[in-house]
Amino acid sequence: MNQQPSPEPADDRGGDADRERPDQALTPAPGHRLSPGASAAVLLLHGGRVDALRPPTRLNLPGLRMRPFATALTRATAHPDVLVAHVRYRHRGWNGRHAHPLADTRRALDELRAVAGPVPVVLVGHSMGGRAALRAADDPQVRGVVALAPWCPPGEPTAHLRARAIVALHDENDRVTRAADTWSYLTRARKAEARVHGIRMPRGGHAMIGDAGLWHRITAGATAALLGLAPFPAALAGLADTDPITTGTPWQQG
């Protein structure tokens, strides 16, 4: 990772790992359930560590960070047949060639497909979860990815992103993952014929705390548009007609 810090700081305040969790990779957000009637889905992938084989702790701060996004996404996709769910990890780390969060994401997509069939999906991933979401975008159900301060190390593959829509949000003051790596990744993804849009966030750092509401609104608006539930916001119009990659100040709530 070019000597960069881990995508998530150590957090052992939850004590022993939660060994009682079920085997399912999908955890529906409050007010949602996985059912044969689902017409679309949004899957959230939280951050993690470069290397960590233990399961997430009971107090899983990276997972908690995604809950406000789930709330915003539920509002933006307000339809009884749209599932919003979290991907449950078996390990806290990426763990080199094992790419454990990617395997968990593929399990979650398989579980969704087994119950609801081949419904369109948008993956929303933060940090390590952003890397997993971008890797999993080759799944035929994935319509697009919203990557939040993603971990995009140099050399990360992009050939599989053809015809996929990628929206990436990154604060250039992020000291954990590098915004420059994200913009480089998007440039390569566009050459692979992905539809891309990068947004330089004015604040937030890696934890997306500053201007959190803006992060939530952009993510929710982009996701609803990718699922065809709302028009593309003006700032993302390029996704609709494959315009070149753009990076700039995100739109404000009007």
Side-chain angles (χ1 to χ4, degrees):
M1 218 177 145
N2 292 341
Q3 303 303 313
Q4 291 187 71
S6 174
E8 289 293 341
D11 170 30
D12 292 316
R13 287 180 289 173
D16 292 337
D18 182 358
R19 298 182 179 87
E20 298 178 356
R21 62 185 187 174
D23 293 334
Q24 287 79 8
L26 270 183
T27 301
H32 293 265
R33 64 186 182 89
L34 178 59
S35 70
S39 61
V42 183
L43 305 188
L44 294 104
L45 292 74
H46 64 71
R49 297 182 59 76
V50 175
D51 295 296
L53 291 172
R54 292 180 64 189
T57 58
R58 288 190 179 93
L59 177 62
N60 182 14
L61 293 183
L64 291 174
R65 187 175 292 134
M66 299 306 290
R67 290 188 182 180
F69 285 94
T71 299
L73 287 161
T74 295
R75 291 171 180 162
T77 61
H79 191 284
D81 296 337
V82 178
L83 171 70
V84 177
H86 300 266
V87 174
R88 186 189 297 271
Y89 298 158
R90 290 174 293 182
H91 306 275
R92 295 176 66 190
W94 183 266
N95 301 319
R97 63 182 177 81
H98 298 291
H100 285 130
L102 174 59
D104 293 328
T105 303
R106 296 202 187 283
R107 285 196 307 128
L109 288 165
D110 286 343
E111 290 175 13
L112 174 65
R113 193 158 31 236
V115 175
V119 299
V121 176
V122 171
L123 301 176
V124 177
H126 174 235
S127 191
M128 182 187 76
R131 185 181 185 184
L134 291 165
R135 284 279 191 101
D138 60 353
D139 187 283
Q141 288 186 238
V142 175
R143 182 167 292 180
V145 173
V146 180
L148 310 171
W151 175 24
C152 297
E156 192 71 2
T158 58
H160 64 290
L161 297 175
R162 185 178 184 275
R164 296 300 192 270
I166 310 297
V167 179
L169 288 63
H170 218 136
D171 176 1
E172 293 192 332
N173 293 316
D174 188 334
R175 297 184 180 182
V176 178
T177 57
R178 286 168 37 91
D181 288 342
T182 297
W183 311 145
S184 176
Y185 179 90
L186 292 182
T187 298
R188 292 187 292 110
R190 182 171 179 265
K191 290 179 180 178
E193 300 184 43
R195 296 177 293 135
V196 302
H197 191 108
I199 300 173
R200 291 187 179 100
M201 297 298 288
R203 294 180 57 205
H206 191 68
M208 308 175 294
I209 294 174
D211 282 338
L214 184 59
W215 286 81
H216 302 157
R217 290 196 299 274
I218 293 174
T219 299
T223 300
L226 290 172
L227 288 175
L229 302 174
F232 280 97
L236 298 183
L239 283 171
D241 54 17
T242 65
D243 278 353
I245 174 177
T246 59
T247 58
T249 303
W251 71 88
Q252 301 290 333
Q253 187 176 29

